[in-house]
Amino acid sequence: TAITITEQPVSVSVPVGYSFTLRCRAQGRTSLQYQWFCQYQSDCRLVPGATNQDLPIVAEQTQLYTCRVNDLHRNAVFSDWVKVEVHQCVARGVPPRLWQGEPVIVLNPREQRVEVGQPLQLQCAAMGVPAPSYQWYRNGNLLEQQKRKKLWITHTKVSDSGTYLCCASNSHGEHWTNAVDVHIGEQSQPTSPGCMSLCVRHSKIALLVGNNRYQHHPNLMAPVRDVFELRHLLEHLGFQVVSLLD
């Protein structure tokens, strides 16, 4: 093609009022011209004066952006559409003052109690530059199909019960949400205060973290086996186990 985009803009997830820049780079046989467009809901419009490779933005609302690149022969290509996700309500101090774009959790999932066959929805959100990707886990096991901010199960089964958490990651690192319990098919029974306190007192949860890779130490082999064996042992002892690696 006459024009090749060599650097696509990337999606970001930022707090309201945050300043940043979208970048687009291209190569062509003649000099190139750039024009940015934005889309809010279904309204697509040209961004006035946005005719440079870099588009400075002060985050106000969630929008989509793309850049058109054309040459002197009327050839034109568009960059990928990217999403600028803006979080309107962010607690003071988030992100940290020296934030470099690493994931920061701004919404944690909540404990759920759902009847069998009913839908389950868990939700989380994180800021990041570039925008984080998501991966959900149940009882420490990766859920291959759950890679969005919202975990959605249309028809729940008893086997969907467990402890859920989500990892938000980008090129700067990763951050985990709080772990929450999901109960499927368990009917709440009235209990006396004494029984309730007894149940809480005897609730047993174990978190196993096996670090296998170290920056300044050779890789270890034992943690993987140890976590596997300890998990089964603790489950036999009545613990609810969340096991994680690295």
Side-chain angles (χ1 to χ4, degrees):
T1 60
I3 304 173
T4 301
I5 293 184
T6 58
E7 181 180 348
Q8 296 280 1
V10 297
S11 297
V12 301
S13 181
V14 296
V16 64
Y18 187 78
S19 299
F20 63 98
T21 300
L22 291 179
R23 292 167 49 91
C24 180
R25 297 290 186 273
Q27 293 179 344
R29 298 170 184 171
T30 68
S31 61
L32 300 177
Q33 298 175 331
Y34 294 78
Q35 176 62 62
W36 289 88
F37 294 81
C38 70
Q39 180 176 345
Y40 175 66
Q41 296 180 346
S42 59
D43 179 27
C44 184
R45 58 186 176 85
L46 178 148
V47 181
T51 57
N52 295 319
Q53 296 172 315
D54 295 340
L55 176 66
I57 295 176
V58 178
E60 296 180 355
Q61 60 184 358
T62 297
Q63 295 190 97
L64 301 175
Y65 288 86
T66 186
C67 185
R68 184 190 67 201
V69 185
N70 61 273
D71 62 15
L72 301 181
H73 301 297
R74 297 185 180 179
N75 298 307
V77 296
F78 282 84
S79 72
D80 295 340
W81 282 95
V82 294
K83 184 177 183 179
V84 174
E85 182 180 30
V86 180
H87 299 274
Q88 297 293 336
C89 299
V90 177
R92 181 178 299 177
V94 178
R97 293 177 61 184
L98 299 179
W99 188 47
Q100 298 297 315
E102 66 275 11
V104 176
I105 302 295
V106 295
L107 177 64
N108 280 286
R110 296 183 178 181
E111 181 177 349
Q112 301 280 336
R113 188 176 295 273
V114 181
E115 294 183 4
V116 173
Q118 295 300 307
L120 167 66
Q121 178 177 291
L122 295 174
Q123 186 173 358
C124 72
M127 298 186 303
V129 181
S133 57
Y134 296 88
Q135 178 61 63
W136 287 88
Y137 294 78
R138 182 181 66 241
N139 297 334
N141 298 311
L142 183 147
L143 299 174
E144 186 64 37
Q145 304 303 319
Q146 302 292 351
K147 298 179 180 292
R148 299 177 179 270
K149 289 187 296 184
K150 292 183 179 180
L151 177 147
W152 177 259
I153 299 177
T154 306
H155 302 288
T156 54
K157 307 181 294 294
V158 173
S159 59
D160 293 320
S161 296
T163 301
Y164 287 75
L165 74 169
C166 185
C167 178
S169 62
N170 65 11
S171 57
H172 297 291
E174 63 182 28
H175 203 88
W176 296 78
T177 67
N178 296 338
V180 296
D181 291 330
V182 172
H183 309 274
I184 308 297
E186 297 180 9
Q187 299 296 327
S188 299
Q189 300 293 334
T191 57
S192 66
C195 177
M196 186 176 297
S197 63
L198 182 66
C199 294
V200 172
R201 190 165 61 246
H202 285 79
S203 176
K204 298 186 295 185
I205 301 175
L207 172 64
L208 301 179
V209 180
N211 284 325
N212 195 38
R213 301 173 184 172
Y214 289 87
Q215 184 176 3
H216 302 294
H217 193 284
N219 290 352
L220 305 179
M221 294 303 297
V224 177
R225 183 185 67 241
D226 292 346
V227 167
F228 179 82
E229 293 178 353
L230 280 174
R231 175 184 174 184
H232 285 279
L233 174 61
L234 290 169
E235 286 177 342
H236 283 300
L237 294 176
F239 280 81
Q240 185 176 2
V241 181
V242 177
S243 56
L244 304 172
L245 294 176
D246 295 323

